[in-house]
Amino acid sequence: MQTRVFSPDADGYDAAASALRDGGLVAFPTETVYGLGGDARNDMAVARIFEAKARPRFNPLIVHVNSISAAREFVEWPDQADILAQAFWPGPMTLVLPLKPGTGLSPLVTADLPTLAIRVPAHPVAQNLLATFGGPVAAPSANPSGRISPTTADHVLAGLNGKIAAVLDGGACEVGVESTILGLAGTPTLLRPGGLPVEAIEAALHDTLDTRGNCDPLTAPGQLASHYAPNAQVRLEATEKRTGEVLLGFGPVDADLNLSPAGDLTEATANLFRHLHSLDAMGAETIAVSPIPNHGLGRAINDRLRRAASPRS
């Protein structure tokens, strides 16, 4: 298969939507990372997502739609969902809610769970593609399973060229890490930190979120112990660079690449995956990473780094 690259214009949107209608896979930018999209109602298309990524079938997918009203067609909608959707959609937040019966979604999307992960992305290219396609798009990150997530079209092609129909090139992603996932099938629970700070969600709900335990069953994407991993090993909380290492810095440190010399967590989040791709390409045995504060967006950065540093299967 030859993977085509489409520009974000009328012809590009029409071609990408046509590929989706034919059961093909199209990578497209969101504000978080590039997603690998397939028609969420088409069993073969969804199966191709798992095949292209070599993704475990028990790992559910996020469905992307272009509006709150579209999301409500697929899931039960408690008051808390409405509060959060009005505050943060379109944006980098995914809600996991009870799946309505008779939605027509492929059961592969939910990994046969009774819940659905759903979000409304803010990126204009994603919005235009969803509007042109006119239906729900299942889209995990557009990279081989377990590897560094893509924030540019070139990252997508480096991992999936020849395995998918097309890439809609919308430039670099602004946020740079995946969406925050919140479970609302019961008590509001943080299932994965991401591009929306937990503090903002708690402020909107006037409540503290529960957190998922490490041994709890898999209920949403991004919960595997080893994930977001470069080819190099990753060493965390590094205060110096050892022989054979490259240093991914944060703050005023001498590093091969620095997430944010000024210690800005928003800048660091946007640079995380791009810098990991660049350092991995240097061929070092180990990427050492400076300590990152564990608040605000730092929680998402540290979550991705811990999973990248976990033992590989």
Side-chain angles (χ1 to χ4, degrees):
M1 181 189 301
Q2 181 179 357
T3 298
R4 296 171 291 171
V5 178
F6 298 138
S7 298
D9 53 28
D11 289 343
Y13 293 127
D14 285 343
S18 177
L20 289 173
R21 294 188 193 105
D22 290 341
L25 304 185
V26 177
F28 63 96
T30 75
E31 67 278 16
T32 58
V33 300
Y34 272 72
L36 180 57
D39 185 346
R41 302 157 300 190
N42 183 325
D43 287 336
M44 286 300 297
V46 178
R48 289 187 183 109
I49 294 175
F50 287 94
E51 180 181 12
K53 285 176 59 69
R55 181 183 177 95
R57 294 292 178 95
F58 58 77
N59 196 2
L61 306 177
I62 295 174
V63 165
H64 294 63
V65 293
N66 69 345
S67 67
I68 294 173
S69 60
R72 295 183 68 161
E73 295 177 12
F74 296 100
V75 289
E76 305 295 342
W77 198 254
D79 290 342
Q80 291 163 324
D82 207 51
I83 291 169
L84 293 174
Q86 295 295 337
F88 302 118
W89 274 354
M93 176 187 70
T94 294
L95 298 180
V96 176
L97 293 156
L99 179 67
K100 284 183 176 179
T103 62
L105 296 178
S106 169
L108 294 172
V109 168
T110 62
D112 289 321
L113 293 170
T115 53
L116 175 68
I118 194 163
R119 86 173 182 108
V120 180
H123 198 295
V125 173
Q127 279 284 324
N128 287 332
L129 175 61
L130 290 166
T132 305
F133 175 61
V137 173
S141 56
N143 58 291
S145 185
R147 294 301 181 182
I148 308 170
S149 297
T151 57
T152 68
D154 284 344
H155 292 163
V156 176
L157 291 169
L160 296 176
N161 192 16
K163 296 182 179 180
I164 64 176
V167 180
L168 191 55
D169 188 351
C173 300
E174 181 179 358
V175 174
V177 296
E178 293 82 357
S179 60
T180 300
I181 301 182
L182 185 67
L184 291 180
T187 304
T189 302
L190 178 67
L191 300 178
R192 179 183 73 185
L196 178 65
V198 170
E199 293 87 343
I201 296 172
E202 292 180 334
L205 291 177
H206 303 290
D207 200 2
T208 301
L209 299 178
D210 283 352
T211 54
R212 174 183 177 271
N214 290 333
C215 296
D216 289 350
L218 194 73
T219 54
Q223 295 180 336
L224 296 177
S226 178
H227 209 27
Y228 317 110
N231 291 313
Q233 297 298 306
V234 176
R235 182 171 69 88
L236 305 180
E237 304 292 328
T239 56
E240 81 292 328
K241 183 170 71 171
R242 299 172 183 170
T243 301
E245 292 184 338
V246 291
L247 179 62
L248 180 59
F250 178 81
V253 299
D254 183 14
D256 294 274
L257 284 176
N258 200 311
L259 292 169
S260 174
D264 182 282
L265 289 172
T266 300
E267 180 184 22
T269 305
N271 284 332
L272 177 62
F273 289 139
R274 179 166 62 88
H275 282 5
L276 284 174
H277 277 286
S278 296
L279 290 173
D280 203 30
M282 294 180 184
E285 295 177 4
T286 301
I287 299 172
V289 187
S290 294
I292 309 293
N294 199 41
H295 60 77
L297 290 172
R299 293 183 66 167
I301 296 173
N302 284 318
D303 172 79
R304 303 310 189 270
L305 289 172
R306 281 193 299 269
R307 296 179 193 277
S310 292
R312 322 283 172 83
S313 58

